Amino acid sequence: MYIPYTHHVAPAEMAHVTAAFRHGLMFGVLRWVLTAAFAVAVIGLVVARLLA
């Protein structure tokens, strides 16, 4: 789902986007950033465990 800029969106459409965020849905780049951060954290924990 594409999230448009808020100043170009009707209030009814913005309510739909706001509700989607409240339900925990992730969109676009956010999904990839969170996945990469999680992967880096897991790899870091594994390396720390191997070195300890």
Side-chain angles (χ1 to χ4, degrees), residues 8-49:
H8 295 295
V9 180
E13 292 178 25
M14 194 62 209
H16 172 68
V17 172
T18 303
F21 276 117
R22 287 182 180 157
H23 289 116
L25 299 177
M26 295 183 294
F27 304 103
V29 175
L30 177 64
R31 179 179 296 150
W32 292 107
V33 169
L34 290 175
T35 302
F38 182 74
V40 168
V42 169
I43 291 169
L45 289 172
V46 168
V47 169
R49 176 68 177 127

